[in-house]
Amino acid sequence: AAAAFSQSAQQTSSGGSWLARLSIDNSLVKDQEPFIPAQVRSLYGADQDLVEALFLSTTLQGGYGHTFVWKNLFLSLMAMAGPGIQQRRYTLQNQPEKSSSANISKWSLWGALGYNGEDFFATISLLQDQTKFQTETVSLNSTLTWFQGVLGYRF
């Protein structure tokens, strides 16, 4: 995995491993006015006047990653999923703050394609994390997509 993640080593043969990850995410959605448009607000029940929502999520993920190597070219793929707990605090317009906790799940996908020679390396990678946030009646899905390109030379 060091070849795909950080190019700190040259991986010369294909292989994979089981993975574990503890993830802590903090997300805030806030506005001075309710952020659900007035035209559809009635569809969102008790939380239609939501003006602020803070979510702190802790998840423990497990999964598998595998790197396929052809000479100096490689393709790495990883998938992880797991359960967690989410603390949530949210405020409706002109009402006191509400708080609760809930069980959640999170999944992550990662892929990298590149060249990893003895001295020169180049990689493009894509990471996607998905977490769901929920108040009493409003669901917010958060997807973090991260794209990276790396060129380098070891000396």
Side-chain angles (χ1 to χ4, degrees):
F5 282 101
S6 65
Q7 288 80 36
S8 61
Q10 182 185 22
Q11 187 166 344
T12 57
S13 62
S14 298
S17 61
W18 295 102
L19 305 167
R21 175 171 106 170
L22 176 65
S23 175
I24 299 173
D25 301 299
N26 187 32
S27 297
L28 173 66
V29 179
K30 184 176 180 177
D31 200 342
Q32 292 178 355
E33 297 293 322
F35 54 81
I36 298 172
Q39 304 89 314
V40 295
R41 210 173 283 160
S42 63
L43 300 173
Y44 289 88
D47 297 334
Q48 63 183 297
D49 293 327
L50 195 62
V51 291
E52 182 175 335
L54 176 66
F55 303 96
L56 177 61
S57 306
T58 304
T59 55
L60 181 60
Q61 294 178 284
Y64 185 76
H66 197 92
T67 298
F68 302 92
V69 176
W70 301 276
K71 299 189 181 194
N72 291 332
L73 300 175
F74 69 90
L75 170 66
S76 291
L77 302 171
M78 176 195 77
M80 300 180 79
I85 189 161
Q86 185 177 85
Q87 280 299 123
R88 41 197 187 189
R89 294 190 337 232
Y90 56 98
T91 305
L92 306 177
Q93 189 174 39
N94 303 319
Q95 294 188 27
E97 181 180 271
K98 296 181 180 184
S99 65
S100 63
S101 62
N103 295 325
I104 61 165
S105 61
K106 179 177 182 168
W107 60 264
S108 304
L109 301 173
W110 187 78
L113 178 65
Y115 176 86
N116 196 353
E118 286 185 33
D119 299 321
F120 175 76
F121 57 88
T123 305
I124 56 171
S125 57
L126 177 69
L127 168 72
Q128 189 163 28
D129 273 351
Q130 185 275 330
T131 306
K132 183 177 180 180
F133 307 109
Q134 177 124 15
T135 65
E136 189 176 320
T137 60
V138 175
S139 291
L140 304 167
N141 291 311
S142 171
T143 302
L144 169 68
T145 302
W146 174 68
F147 178 77
Q148 179 179 6
V150 175
L151 290 173
Y153 186 80
R154 287 185 208 89
F155 47 102

